Amino acid sequence: MHETANLAELNQVLRYYPVEPTAVHLIFSRQGRTKWRVHTKQGTMMLRQEFIRPDRMLYIAGAHWHLQEKGMPIAKLIRTRNNGLILAGEDHAYVLYEDVEGETMLYYDKEQTKKTMAFIGQFHNASKGYVQPEGSKKRSRIDKWHKLYRWKIQELEGYKKLANDYTTDQFSILFLQQVDLMLARAKEALAELDNPNFSSWTNEVFESKMFCQQDFTMARLIEKDGAAFMRDLHSVNADLPSRDIRILMNKVMKKLAVWDHELAEEMLIHYDQVHPLTEGQYRVLWTDLKFPHLFCAIAHKYYLSQKRSWSDEKYLMHIQNIIAVENSKEEFLSNFDGIFKGIKGGVISDGTSFTAESDS
């Protein structure tokens, strides 16, 4: 049950907005972020407080407003009475936006995953031309791929040395069985970043001033009127669109515990029909899918004890899941030409033909 917040205290914040609040309920508070549902005479709103540098929050809120102005299906951001995008404190900031209801989006629902991919394509299209507000701080990962890959490779090599000392540890035994294959794939992916396809797309993204959501999760989306709708924009970075695509595809396949080749192709068809990519850009995506991000992440969590609440059995379950996904991905990665042809023709490898609109 949600707690009822102290309306008098929050009124000190809400008085800066053109709303008349009648009740406020705390939705959650964790990891430096608090969210309240605000009932007002103008409708139901969401007030979010984040302990984040205000200039960074201004960049995110500016991106939200940019998407809103481009007609994206995203909750309406409410400006302050002085037309500000955020309300800033010394080490935190507030944003207010409309509360929108809809159907929960689920990773296990294949139709909803395809709708999410179409939404991501729309998101990337709409992000182009973003002019950040004066005084906001941009964050970019575009020119940091080489550094990130090298760092993760070094981490894996370090964990390999650690694992060799844990001869009876079941997680380490499984890790050692796979780490050499994962390192080989990681180093191959790193070498591919020197391909002109990567530098060309990087330059294009710089020039277009587009951005990515950074960590696309279906938890922030709902299905409304038969399509995906974003309830709030948590974070954005300047980066290649392939990052958002790779993260969502990995999340979906991890939930399924196997790389579903047919679903992966359908997801990419739905994306491409909204935001088409070139062959060279898809090759960059293939490079990022080849890099064992999931394997690196579970090793990082385990050897640095990041999930203290997790039991040894839960860690084992997760690494077994990830190994299954990473290994079953190989066939997909090795069939670039066929899959690319299918994406552009709207035909998956089994010959099924469809358009993104027909599934909505």
Side-chain angles (χ1 to χ4, degrees):
M1 182 179 294
H2 301 314
E3 299 177 31
T4 301
N6 189 320
L7 182 56
E9 291 180 7
L10 285 178
N11 265 337
Q12 297 303 308
V13 173
L14 293 169
R15 65 190 177 92
Y16 289 98
Y17 288 95
V19 297
E20 298 175 69
T22 56
V24 181
H25 297 277
L26 177 66
I27 302 300
F28 71 78
S29 183
R30 61 178 181 268
Q31 298 177 335
R33 185 179 304 120
T34 304
K35 185 181 290 187
W36 298 270
R37 178 170 283 112
V38 183
H39 299 275
T40 78
K41 293 181 179 180
Q42 291 77 22
T44 307
M45 313 285 180
M46 281 289 183
L47 177 68
R48 190 171 87 228
Q49 178 199 52
E50 290 203 37
F51 281 86
I52 183 175
R53 286 180 50 170
D55 56 357
R56 173 68 184 142
M57 192 66 181
L58 181 58
Y59 180 79
I60 298 168
H64 188 139
W65 188 262
H66 173 83
L67 294 173
Q68 184 175 313
E69 291 291 281
K70 287 291 191 77
M72 275 293 293
I74 186 171
K76 182 181 177 183
L77 188 72
I78 309 299
R79 286 182 175 266
T80 67
R81 293 183 186 276
N82 292 328
N83 207 35
L85 290 168
I86 68 169
L87 193 60
E90 291 184 2
D91 59 352
H92 64 283
Y94 296 91
V95 289
L96 183 68
Y97 48 91
E98 288 185 344
D99 183 25
V100 182
E101 295 184 354
E103 183 181 343
T104 301
M105 299 284 277
L106 303 172
Y107 289 100
Y108 300 103
D109 187 321
K110 294 185 177 182
E111 295 307 311
Q112 289 187 332
T113 63
K114 289 181 278 187
K115 289 176 181 179
T116 301
M117 284 293 281
F119 179 90
I120 295 175
Q122 189 178 0
F123 183 102
H124 291 155
N125 257 332
S127 74
K128 295 174 184 177
Y130 175 42
V131 178
Q132 66 188 89
E134 184 178 351
S136 66
K137 182 175 177 58
K138 176 182 178 180
R139 182 177 292 172
S140 175
R141 291 177 179 263
I142 299 178
D143 54 354
K144 297 174 183 176
W145 281 44
H146 286 79
K147 182 179 179 180
L148 176 65
Y149 279 22
R150 289 192 190 99
W151 176 70
K152 288 189 175 185
I153 289 170
Q154 289 172 357
E155 269 205 331
L156 279 186
E157 290 171 336
Y159 298 147
K160 181 180 176 180
K161 292 177 181 177
L162 275 177
N164 278 316
D165 292 333
Y166 302 150
T167 55
T168 61
D169 176 49
Q170 292 301 308
F171 182 98
S172 295
I173 291 170
L174 274 176
F175 173 82
L176 287 171
Q177 289 173 358
Q178 300 293 323
V179 67
D180 287 337
L181 173 62
M182 295 299 114
L183 278 168
R185 268 182 34 192
K187 291 174 181 178
E188 187 177 334
L190 175 61
E192 289 176 6
L193 293 185
D194 293 329
N195 189 291
N197 291 322
F198 181 74
S199 55
S200 174
W201 202 4
T202 297
N203 292 335
E204 181 181 318
V205 169
F206 267 123
E207 292 173 4
S208 69
K209 298 181 180 179
M210 70 183 304
F211 52 79
C212 290
Q213 200 277 333
Q214 178 178 306
D215 185 14
F216 246 104
T217 170
M218 290 172 69
R220 295 193 182 91
L221 300 176
I222 54 174
E223 184 171 346
K224 186 174 183 290
D225 301 326
F229 186 98
M230 181 168 273
R231 294 186 299 175
D232 69 324
L233 186 62
H234 168 59
S235 185
V236 292
N237 272 337
D239 204 347
L240 304 186
S242 57
R243 173 184 171 86
D244 283 341
I245 300 172
R246 180 262 298 174
I247 286 176
L248 183 72
M249 292 183 78
N250 274 348
K251 283 183 176 181
V252 169
M253 302 309 170
K254 189 169 68 169
K255 295 287 186 184
L256 299 177
V258 66
W259 190 269
D260 185 328
H261 302 180
E262 182 178 310
L263 175 60
E265 291 179 52
E266 290 182 6
M267 289 172 71
L268 291 174
I269 289 170
H270 277 70
Y271 178 90
D272 196 81
Q273 290 183 345
V274 179
H275 185 234
L277 301 181
T278 67
E279 179 180 349
Q281 290 166 346
Y282 274 111
R283 290 193 182 278
V284 174
L285 171 61
W286 251 242
T287 293
D288 207 25
L289 289 172
K290 177 184 296 182
F291 195 94
H293 292 282
L294 294 175
F295 189 78
C296 293
I298 191 62
H300 183 83
K301 287 184 177 75
Y302 183 74
Y303 290 109
L304 295 185
S305 301
Q306 286 196 324
K307 296 287 187 180
R308 297 185 184 277
S309 63
W310 282 17
S311 64
D312 289 345
E313 290 76 14
K314 188 166 184 176
Y315 270 114
L316 270 177
M317 179 189 70
H318 276 272
I319 193 171
Q320 288 169 342
N321 180 331
I322 286 167
I323 288 170
V325 172
E326 291 287 10
N327 288 340
S328 60
K329 190 192 294 183
E330 290 285 354
E331 183 183 344
F332 178 86
L333 293 173
S334 65
N335 188 26
F336 176 85
D337 291 339
I339 294 171
F340 176 72
K341 182 179 179 180
I343 291 170
K344 291 304 180 180
V347 181
I348 59 176
S349 55
D350 69 356
T352 303
S353 177
F354 62 94
T355 61
E357 290 77 11
S358 67
D359 288 341
S360 58

